Amino acid sequence: QSALTQPPSASGSPGQSVTISCTGTSSDVGGYNYVSWYQQHPGKAPKLMIYDVTKRPSGVPDRFSGSKSGNTASLTVSGLQAEDEATYYCSSYAGSGNMVFGGGTKLTVL
Amino acid sequence: EVQLVESGGGLVQPGGSLGLSCAASGFTFSDYWMNWVRQAPGKGLEWVASIKKDGSEKYFVDSVKGRFTISRDNAKNSLYLQMNSLRVDDAAVYYCARSAAVAFDNWGQGTLVTVS
C-alpha cells in the first residue's frame, strides 16, 4: 500500500496544456484500468474528474483527459483556465479491495 | 442531489476512541459501496476503509487494521467509522465518499479529528 508518485507541482499559462503524471507499479496502476483523478481546491472536498483511466463524469469539461501507459497514468488539462488552479490527486485500485492515492500535484496557472 | 454529511469529529487523547457518522441522501444508499478517506493537515489524501453495499465485505488500509471498524445501516442511510486506539498520526479531516465504478464520485465536506 505505497502511495503513487506524482510531481509536487506543475504550471502553465492560460490556454496552454499541462500534463500531470502518476507512477505506480504493476500491482496498482499497471495492473488495473481503475485509475481516477481528483481536483481539490483549498478548503474544499475533492471532486472526481476522471475515472477508469479515461472516462469523464458528466459535467467535467472535455479539457480534462486521462491516459495510461504501463505503470504510469497521466492527466492532461488543455486550454488552461484560472479556475483549474488546484491540487490534483490520482488514485488506483491496488487489488484485494485496497485503494491508493498519489501524493498530489499543485497546479499553478501563471 | 447527492448529499453526504459527516459528523462526530472532535478532540481526543492518544489511545482514545471516537465514532464518526455519515448521513447520506439523494440516492439509494444500499446500491453503493461506501468509503472513508482522510487528509492530514496540509497533506494528501489517504484511503482508509471501504464497505460493500450490504456490509458483507470490508477493507482497510494497513495502518488502521485492528483499530478501526467500518459499518453501515442501510435502513438509516448511514455510514459509520469507529476509531479506537487513536494515534497522533490519525489526526485528519475524515471524508465520507461514495463509490461509483472504482472511484469516489461524491464526497462529503469532512469532519476534523484532532488527536492530542
Side-chain angles (χ1 to χ4, degrees):
Chain A
Q1 294 178 338
S2 299
L4 307 176
T5 300
Q6 296 182 238
S9 62
S11 63
S13 299
Q16 287 187 333
S17 294
V18 64
T19 297
I20 298 170
S21 63
C22 170
T23 301
T25 69
S26 58
S27 296
D28 39 60
V29 174
Y32 308 93
N33 287 323
Y34 295 135
V35 176
S36 49
W37 290 90
Y38 304 85
Q39 177 192 66
Q40 187 179 36
H41 288 108
K44 301 295 187 181
K47 175 186 176 183
L48 178 65
M49 305 301 284
I50 296 288
Y51 68 99
D52 291 356
V53 180
T54 62
K55 298 175 182 176
R56 270 190 318 277
S58 61
V60 173
D62 60 6
R63 301 185 294 104
F64 292 84
S65 62
S67 63
K68 190 185 86 168
S69 178
N71 296 336
T72 298
S74 298
L75 172 72
T76 297
V77 186
S78 305
L80 270 176
Q81 299 182 4
E83 59 262 36
D84 298 333
E85 185 162 296
T87 300
Y88 292 83
Y89 294 91
C90 63
S91 179
S92 175
Y93 182 66
S96 301
N98 296 310
M99 299 290 288
V100 63
F101 282 96
T105 298
K106 185 173 183 179
L107 175 60
T108 300
V109 180
L110 302 170
Chain B
E1 177 193 5
V2 172
Q3 283 201 321
L4 299 168
V5 180
E6 302 92 338
S7 60
L11 174 63
V12 60
Q13 292 183 339
S17 298
L18 201 61
L20 305 183
S21 299
C22 170
S25 61
F27 65 102
T28 304
F29 184 69
S30 58
D31 283 350
Y32 292 86
W33 284 66
M34 295 296 297
N35 312 269
W36 289 98
V37 177
R38 67 185 179 184
Q39 186 169 34
K43 302 297 184 182
L45 301 171
E46 181 181 37
W47 168 77
V48 174
S50 298
I51 186 168
K52 194 175 180 179
K53 304 173 190 181
D54 62 358
S56 61
E57 295 181 32
K58 304 173 185 180
Y59 301 97
F60 299 90
V61 68
D62 285 347
S63 60
V64 309
K65 284 179 181 175
R67 300 189 299 122
F68 289 13
T69 301
I70 188 172
S71 61
R72 64 192 295 162
D73 186 334
N74 287 344
K76 295 183 177 180
N77 294 335
S78 293
L79 176 71
Y80 306 100
L81 185 69
Q82 178 64 37
M83 304 183 293
N84 299 328
S85 303
L86 280 161
R87 308 190 302 218
V88 171
D89 61 358
D90 292 319
V93 172
Y94 283 74
Y95 293 101
C96 166
R98 189 182 79 168
S99 281
V102 188
F104 309 111
D105 73 332
N106 279 275
W107 299 65
Q109 285 306 302
T111 187
L112 178 63
V113 172
T114 303
V115 184
S116 179

